[in-house]
Amino acid sequence: MKKLIIGNWKLNPVSLKEAVKLTSLIEKTKKNTVVLCPPHVFLSSVKYPNLGAQDCFWEEKGAFTGQVSPLQLKNFKIKYVLVGHSERRFAGDDDHMVNAKIRLALANNIVPVLCVGYKTTVLQDDMEVTDIIKNQLDLGLAGLEAEKVVVAYEPVWAIGSGKTATPDHTEKIALFIKNRYGVEKVLYGGSVNPSNAQGFLAQRNVDGLLVGGASLVPSYFNKIINL
Ligand code: PEP
């Protein structure tokens, strides 16, 4: 079964030239479905089979300075959008905003990737994690068709830290998300690299990966997407 592997470039690189170069170095593998999420400003210029955006707004158009809407993204053939990433939640996004963003992404036929795991601690206690993400999922998915939403379990302490959750724990959390909400695809994110990626991909209920730092290093990302 093909897995879904998403590269989140965050606020990198700084020039279009570098963005185009980086994209050209990422293989177009058939082994997995690969999605690149460059910054919004590069989305119309980089060419890759599947592109995603790192965020979107909950209104289609109007007086919303600085925002980018799912309708605009759809016009650039963007297929996926990250929503509720912990770095957006740190910047003020709450679960109601996340819900509204997902709703509009779905209305525009863009697959929302709902990131949960903000506020988790380093304990990896299954009960603690399910309590926290339950809240994020109850509100984030309220009134929506959950089967059309991809969920990325990203314990906040694992993002960019070099520490990861264990594959066993991640499998239990993925199963919980699927059973409780009817979500069909759950990804893991948090310090994924070529050495630890396989452990997650081998889990039955982990359908792929959300990769930050390692997606900026073509030799690392190419290894991960070809596993
Ligand atoms: C992310 O940005 O969602 C992420 C998981 O980053 P990293 O792989 O660098 O931890």
Side-chain angles (χ1 to χ4, degrees):
M1 254 300 255
K2 277 192 185 185
K3 302 269 180 167
L4 174 61
I5 302 183
I6 304 180
N8 174 18
W9 292 2
K10 312 191 189 206
L11 188 50
N12 301 288
V14 295
S15 72
L16 175 60
K17 198 172 163 198
E18 289 169 279
V20 169
K21 174 95 199 288
L22 179 55
T23 311
S24 72
L25 295 173
I26 306 301
E27 288 173 21
K28 296 180 183 73
T29 179
K30 293 218 181 328
K31 275 207 100 173
N32 294 294
T33 302
V34 182
V35 180
L36 300 182
C37 298
H40 284 145
V41 285
F42 301 137
L43 277 174
S44 60
S45 310
V46 299
K47 303 280 173 250
Y48 196 76
N50 300 303
L51 288 173
Q54 296 177 16
D55 192 23
C56 67
F57 194 52
W58 58 78
E59 296 280 353
E60 284 189 342
K61 59 180 183 170
F64 304 104
T65 304
Q67 302 293 356
V68 173
S69 80
L71 178 59
Q72 292 171 319
L73 296 173
K74 182 171 81 173
N75 288 335
F76 282 110
K77 307 212 175 346
I78 303 308
K79 297 183 187 162
Y80 295 81
V81 62
L82 307 182
V83 180
H85 191 282
S86 62
E87 288 153 15
R88 297 304 321 156
R89 293 182 192 257
F90 272 127
D93 278 18
D94 65 24
D95 292 306
H96 301 285
M97 296 173 184
V98 167
N99 178 264
K101 291 178 178 193
I102 295 174
R103 185 181 303 277
L104 200 59
L106 287 173
N108 283 284
N109 293 318
I110 297 176
V111 178
V113 180
L114 166 59
C115 304
V116 297
Y118 181 59
K119 291 194 171 157
T120 51
T121 72
V122 81
L123 292 174
Q124 290 195 61
D125 176 84
D126 297 346
M127 288 288 283
E128 184 220 50
V129 171
T130 48
D131 254 17
I132 291 171
I133 66 170
K134 201 159 60 181
N135 212 30
Q136 290 164 17
L137 288 160
D138 283 351
L139 296 172
L141 293 173
L144 303 175
E145 294 167 282
E147 68 279 8
K148 295 189 176 162
V149 179
V150 174
V151 172
Y153 170 51
E154 297 207 301
V156 67
W157 51 265
I159 298 179
S161 65
K163 298 183 195 127
T164 65
T166 63
D168 274 6
H169 162 80
T170 304
E171 169 69 6
K172 281 190 211 142
I173 298 301
L175 199 54
F176 166 78
I177 295 171
K178 289 182 178 180
N179 287 342
R180 188 178 163 101
Y181 296 94
V183 165
E184 290 177 359
K185 270 197 172 68
V186 177
L187 316 181
Y188 168 77
S191 295
V192 169
N193 63 37
S195 316
N196 60 31
Q198 182 55 38
F200 295 100
L201 293 174
Q203 302 302 313
R204 196 184 165 89
N205 287 289
V206 177
D207 303 284
L209 301 166
L210 178 50
V211 185
S215 71
L216 294 165
V217 184
S219 59
Y220 290 179
F221 197 57
N222 285 334
K223 277 200 187 109
I224 295 170
I225 64 179
N226 281 301
L227 286 170

